[in-house]
Amino acid sequence: MDKVNNYLENLLPESEEWATALEKQAISGKVPIMERQSIHFLKQLAQIRQPKHLLEIGTAIGYSALQLHNACPQAQIITIERDKDRYHESIRNIKDQSKEDQIQVIFGDALEVLEDPGIKAKTFDFIFIDAAKGQYKRFFELIDPLISKDGIIVTDNVLFKGYVVNEEGINDRHVKLVKKIRNYNEWLSNHSGYITTFIPIGDGIAISLKK
Ligand code: SAM
């Protein structure tokens, strides 16, 4: 698989200058952001769907939010981040690109923010989950009422470094997490309200289409 991944990685177009700068910023700050293949795929999906209202759980430094904005400039994006330093970093990065009118970053734990009446009153046609992996099921339950019919929910890291399929070499603190992701994937694939496809790209992506 590494060879296939390297091959596919080499086929990707070069990142734009601002994106390369954020990729470097993420590496130097040890901030996990989406892998290049995954972000390329996510952007293309957004480009095809052209959502108007997009929600992201897990902003980090604003990389994927800015990339999504790039793919669908007409979309209003709301993104949630609970880490204070990352929240401030994302605000800076979004301001640097003059995108603060299109991308709103909310500081807080998504599990609380998603219970806020202001958020509950909204509808989204594209939701991207990329936050604490152990809470994916809860995130999904909270956003289920917010997604429009035919809307799409994308979840990243559903294969978690391949450990979901093969636990060889896994460290102890990840065993529970892997179990949770596996449960989430099974729950998702059996969810009667959605059709889900799992894509083995990057860290594994699930695309759930609301019926
Ligand atoms: N989507 C980002 C990107 O690709 O540029 C990367 C997000 S990073 C993988 C996950 C982020 O989710 C972290 O910055 C973490 O602090 C945040 N996070 C984790 N659990 C969260 C929660 N319950 N509410 C809000 N943010 C959360």
Side-chain angles (χ1 to χ4, degrees):
M1 269 317 268
D2 280 352
K3 280 188 181 163
V4 174
N5 273 330
N6 287 342
Y7 174 75
L8 295 176
E9 187 80 21
N10 283 329
L11 290 179
L12 287 175
E14 265 186 39
S15 298
E16 289 177 74
E17 216 172 289
W18 66 267
T20 306
L22 290 199
E23 286 159 11
K24 286 184 182 154
Q25 191 178 320
I27 291 170
S28 66
K30 295 196 168 74
V31 179
I33 59 168
M34 254 200 143
E35 294 180 23
R36 286 190 66 237
Q37 268 185 61
S38 309
I39 198 76
H40 185 72
F41 177 74
L42 184 73
K43 279 176 77 175
Q44 202 150 34
L45 193 61
Q47 224 148 7
I48 295 165
R49 299 288 298 193
Q50 287 299 320
K52 301 263 183 306
H53 300 281
L54 209 150
L55 173 69
E56 175 184 64
I57 307 175
T59 319
I61 59 170
Y63 174 76
S64 51
L66 281 162
Q67 289 278 25
L68 283 166
H69 166 74
N70 210 260
C72 39
Q74 84 297 342
Q76 280 298 321
I77 301 179
I78 294 180
T79 175
I80 308 169
E81 175 55 54
R82 71 174 173 190
D83 181 283
K84 207 168 206 169
D85 293 341
R86 289 180 187 173
Y87 164 75
H88 286 300
E89 217 171 327
S90 71
I91 296 277
R92 265 198 308 276
N93 288 331
I94 290 165
K95 271 213 173 115
D96 282 351
Q97 298 301 314
S98 309
K99 301 300 180 200
E100 61 270 34
D101 289 343
Q102 288 86 27
I103 306 173
Q104 182 195 356
V105 189
I106 299 179
F107 173 62
D109 189 322
L111 295 176
E112 288 164 21
V113 175
L114 292 169
E115 299 273 18
D116 184 278
I119 289 284
K120 278 175 138 178
K122 294 185 188 296
T123 304
F124 299 91
D125 40 4
F126 197 111
I127 302 183
F128 175 43
I129 306 176
D130 189 18
K133 293 178 268 298
Q135 291 167 337
Y136 276 1
K137 183 164 175 265
R138 189 68 197 123
F139 291 144
F140 198 100
E141 285 168 342
L142 285 168
I143 57 176
D144 179 34
L146 311 185
I147 192 90
S148 60
K149 192 174 177 317
D150 293 329
I152 275 190
I153 300 176
V154 179
T155 316
D156 194 24
N157 312 111
V158 292
L159 295 177
F160 190 38
K161 304 175 200 293
Y163 292 137
V164 168
V165 181
N166 177 6
E167 288 192 14
E168 214 178 292
I170 194 171
N171 79 39
D172 289 346
R173 69 193 172 91
H174 284 152
V175 172
K176 255 193 186 163
L177 183 58
V178 163
K179 200 169 170 218
K180 279 192 172 174
I181 300 173
R182 219 178 267 137
N183 287 342
Y184 173 70
N185 290 345
E186 276 160 33
W187 174 81
L188 198 53
S189 66
N190 289 312
H191 197 306
S192 59
Y194 293 83
I195 301 167
T196 295
T197 305
F198 296 86
I199 319 265
I201 195 172
D203 206 24
I205 293 177
I207 301 171
S208 307
L209 177 68
K210 174 105 170 161
K211 285 187 195 165

